[in-house]
Amino acid sequence: MIHMRARRLLGDYLEGDLDLARRARVDAHLAECEECAREVRELRQTVSMLRGLPVEAPPALADAVMARIAAGEARPSRWVRATRHFGESGGGWALAAGFAALLIVVTLEPVPLGDPRGDFSMPVQVGSPVVVRVQPAASQSVPGRYGSARHTAAFAGAAAPAAVGALDDEVERLLRARDPESLVLLMTNPSRGQRTALRRGDARAERRLHSADETR
Amino acid sequence: MVETTLAAPRRAEARGPSPRHLDPDADLVTRWQEGEEEAFEALIRRHERRVFGLLWRMLGCREEAEDVAQEAFLSLHRHGHRFRGEARFSTFVYRVAANAALNRRRTLGRRRARERELAERQAAGTDLPSAPRSAEAAAAGSEVQTEVQRALQELPHDLRVATVLYDIEGVPYGEIARVLGIPEGTVKSRIHRARKALRDRLRPLMGAEHRSSEP
């Protein structure tokens, strides 16, 4: 077997994913190629090291979580409750897909100038609003501009609930942190949990938002 | 050849989509969604080891992992009404945990950069782990395990999550693909790339064994 071809098969070889004929050819190559044989030995040893890592959960993890739930910490925020219907019905998602963007403006408590949390590329205005920009399934109405059809389909399908959960968490985190560094949340590919938390004043972020506005 | 594969028996699980009646958690999930909090507690106890393990290996710090694990389960409780059983409940759990780990690493990134700068000034060139060395060594039980943990931390997020789920937690390819929203082939490719990167990083620790295993 040609050396480079054998090397490409080593991953599947190690996992036992090769058919018998190809496995036999790789075995024959390993018998005569010390470089590949060493690669296999080292990768096996690497996996062995990974599997040797001990893990045990902290004994009080479940108790701690249940105590926090009892204290009301798992209660959805008003933002989540307001948007919950999007995740509970296909109709909700279809409606959401009809909009090019959903703009939510939340006013936060004033943030003191010179707040040490993070480095701001522009001064943050006292009492400035936080803008959370969500773009659910926009490609249905504007094909090819916000994402591919595949993304849109996935967003409306089974992957959506967890992705929305992740978005909720991100928005809640931003709101809880009152972090003026992450004022703008642009969600471009919700189905895969990809989102971009962008800071206001970041030139690249502003360009992306501008571009989104123009295409809408 | 005595050993030809790394695949363990645990990987013999079904790889296709899992209807709800095949999900071992389905009964508990139903009871929880009907309002039985004890069922959610049982779900936590069933998955806490893997969730914590994933987070510990993703974040490199036991305390951070415990904190994020709590947040992940709270998030799960908050959004559990959205789980419809299209995938296994464990897939949903891993996805929430992996997202939580990614969010926490982003938050930690800037703070750790400042801490690292300070530590480097104090240690004058010493190569420090991301968490206090003595604590990590004690928790891991050996210097090799500490080095493996440090090597994991140096992997890009997408490679690390794939190899942690597969090589450490034993999650099958198909479920990882659904957790990450990528094709199975991409999962395999990421795992192989992760192993090679780890191998390069850990090769100095393999020297003695190499020499002893040479024919």
Side-chain angles (χ1 to χ4, degrees), chain A residues 161-177:
Chain A
V164 172
L167 173 63
D168 290 344
D169 289 345
E170 184 72 4
V171 171
E172 287 199 12
R173 187 184 67 75
L174 292 178
L175 297 182
R176 270 203 306 275

Side-chain angles (χ1 to χ4, degrees), chain A residues 59-74:
Chain A
L61 183 57
D63 294 339
V65 173
M66 295 312 292
R68 292 179 67 178
I69 289 172
E73 288 193 51

Side-chain angles (χ1 to χ4, degrees), chain A residues 7-17 23 27 30-31 34 38-66 68-69 73-77 80 83-89 93 116-119 150 157-166 168-170 172-173 176 179 181-182 191-193 195-197 199, chain B residues 1 3-8 10-11 15 37-38 40-41 44-45 48-54 56-57 62 66-67 69-71 73-75 77-79 81-84 86-87 92 95-96 99 102-103 106-107 110 114 139-141 144-146 148-149 152 163 166-169 173 180-183 188 190-192 194-196 198-200 202-203 205-207 209-210 213-215:
Chain A
R7 285 189 81 85
R8 278 198 299 273
L9 294 174
L10 290 184
D12 286 337
Y13 174 83
L14 286 165
E15 289 307 313
D17 288 343
R23 200 170 95 188
D27 276 335
L30 292 177
E34 173 53 26
R38 187 172 63 243
E39 174 100 349
V40 168
R41 279 199 305 273
E42 289 178 345
L43 289 174
R44 279 195 180 125
Q45 202 170 352
T46 301
V47 175
S48 172
M49 286 174 166
L50 287 170
R51 290 182 183 166
L53 289 173
V55 170
E56 55 183 58
L61 183 57
D63 294 339
V65 173
M66 295 312 292
R68 292 179 67 178
I69 289 172
E73 288 193 51
R75 189 169 179 269
S77 68
V80 171
T83 58
R84 178 168 283 185
H85 68 281
F86 284 111
E88 289 185 336
S89 69
W93 286 112
R117 291 171 295 183
D119 305 316
R150 184 171 63 84
V164 172
D168 290 344
D169 289 345
E170 184 72 4
E172 287 199 12
R173 187 184 67 75
R176 270 203 306 275
D179 181 0
E181 192 176 3
S182 305
S191 66
R192 296 176 64 176
R195 58 202 175 282
T196 316
R199 75 177 66 167
Chain B
M1 182 168 286
E3 183 190 12
T4 55
T5 73
L6 293 168
R10 59 185 176 171
R11 305 197 195 290
R15 292 182 175 183
E37 290 295 343
E38 291 78 10
F40 186 70
E41 184 172 355
I44 297 177
R45 295 193 190 284
E48 63 180 2
R49 195 203 65 79
R50 274 186 163 181
V51 166
F52 178 74
L54 169 66
W56 187 9
R57 299 312 166 200
R62 190 180 173 88
E66 186 170 350
D67 188 36
Q70 287 190 23
E71 293 296 334
F73 281 120
L74 286 173
S75 173
H77 190 278
R78 196 177 291 129
H79 306 301
H81 65 282
R82 293 196 172 114
F83 178 69
R84 294 271 181 255
E86 296 92 344
F92 193 67
R95 191 178 297 165
V96 169
N99 283 334
L102 183 58
N103 286 340
R106 285 174 178 156
T107 307
R110 288 187 297 274
R114 288 195 291 273
V144 170
Q145 288 168 352
T146 304
V148 174
Q149 178 64 59
L152 272 173
T163 198
Y166 187 76
D167 284 325
I168 300 178
E169 298 303 324
Y173 286 139
L180 302 179
I182 57 178
K188 287 184 182 183
R190 286 184 185 179
I191 291 168
H192 192 55
R195 287 173 174 177
K196 288 172 78 169
L198 289 169
R199 183 274 314 271
D200 292 345
L202 298 171
R203 187 177 271 137
L205 300 176
M206 301 176 183
E209 191 161 331
H210 267 168
S213 65
E214 293 292 338

Side-chain angles (χ1 to χ4, degrees), chain A residues 40 53-54 62 89 92 103 108 116 121 152 162 166 168 185 202:
Chain A
V40 168
L53 289 173
S89 69
L103 186 67
L108 290 188
S121 51
T152 303
D168 290 344
L185 182 77
D202 179 317

Side-chain angles (χ1 to χ4, degrees), chain A residues 94-101 136-147 152 215-216:
Chain A
L95 180 64
F99 292 102
S139 55
Q140 275 194 353
S141 55
V142 191
R145 291 185 176 171
Y146 289 98
T152 303
T215 52
R216 196 176 309 128

